[in-house]
């Protein structure tokens, strides 16, 4: 990665956090994250104030990517069961194609931030699974 690519370096740090957390859990150190990212030990703190901020940013990044993958090329005009089938299929492909992201999400939620996840990201799940395009049509069928 070129030295003058701060966004690329930030993305490498986020990926490093995901891999380090998957290997070591919440005990992953900044040095281990930096090693996974291929950057100097202090570099993550140029982008994130704390390790917790970094892990949170990684979590948000993974969820944004999952949302993109899940909603990719969904034929919203089809029947509700067909749309739901496509969303579930896309979610399964995301988990298969990006196992490190799926593992990170599970570990991050289950181990340390379960309550935080429920409070902050319950709306995310409602947004993906309760997309207005689906919710409105479900209401029409009742």
């Amino acid at each position: 990665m070129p030295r003058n690519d701060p966004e690329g370096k930030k993305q490498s740090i986020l990926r490093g956090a995901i891999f380090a957390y998957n290997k070591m859990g919440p005990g992953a150190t900044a040095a281990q994250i930096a090693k996974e990212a291929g950057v100097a030990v202090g570099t993550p703190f140029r982008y994130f104030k704390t390790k917790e901020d970094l892990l949170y940013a990684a979590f948000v990044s993974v969820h944004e990517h999952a949302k993109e993958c899940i909603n990719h090329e969904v034929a919203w005009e089809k029947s509700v069961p067909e749309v739901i089938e496509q969303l579930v299929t896309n979610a399964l492909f995301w988990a298969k194609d990006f196992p490190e992201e799926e593992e990170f999400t599970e570990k991050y939620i289950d181990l340390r931030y379960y309550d935080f996840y429920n409070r902050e990201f319950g709306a995310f799940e409602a947004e993906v699974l309760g997309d207005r395009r689906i919710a409105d049509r479900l209401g029409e069928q009742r």
Side-chain angles (χ1 to χ4, degrees), residues 16-133:
I18 291 166
F19 284 101
Y21 195 90
N22 285 350
K23 289 180 182 177
M24 292 149 244
T29 66
Q32 291 163 327
I33 291 170
K35 182 179 179 183
E36 288 289 334
V39 298
V41 174
T43 302
F45 297 112
R46 292 183 185 168
Y47 297 85
F48 305 96
K49 287 184 179 184
T50 66
K51 182 180 84 169
E52 288 72 24
D53 288 346
L54 168 55
L55 292 172
Y56 175 75
F59 184 66
V60 170
S61 175
V62 164
H63 270 78
E64 287 299 315
H65 184 241
K67 183 178 172 182
E68 287 174 27
C69 291
I70 291 168
N71 286 297
H72 182 69
E73 295 185 359
V74 172
W76 297 104
E77 70 282 355
K78 292 197 173 201
S79 71
V80 171
E82 289 172 309
V83 170
I84 292 171
E85 180 181 352
Q86 184 63 58
L87 291 170
V88 170
T89 299
N90 288 354
L92 292 172
F93 274 111
W94 167 78
K96 176 187 158 286
D97 293 342
F98 302 96
E100 71 286 352
E101 291 184 3
E102 193 278 331
E103 179 182 358
F104 174 76
T105 300
E106 291 298 319
K107 287 182 176 182
Y108 188 84
I109 293 167
D110 290 346
L111 293 177
R112 189 164 179 195
Y113 293 99
Y114 183 77
D115 291 335
F116 177 78
Y117 172 81
N118 284 336
R119 195 171 55 250
E120 298 294 326
F121 286 100
F124 169 79
E125 288 185 285
E127 180 181 339
V128 169
L129 299 177
D131 188 292
R132 293 300 336 153
R133 292 169 287 195

Side-chain angles (χ1 to χ4, degrees), residues 3-20:
R3 294 178 69 107
N4 59 355
D5 182 13
E7 188 56 35
K9 193 170 283 192
K10 182 178 180 181
Q11 292 304 312
S12 292
I13 293 166
L14 291 171
R15 301 303 298 167
I18 291 166
F19 284 101

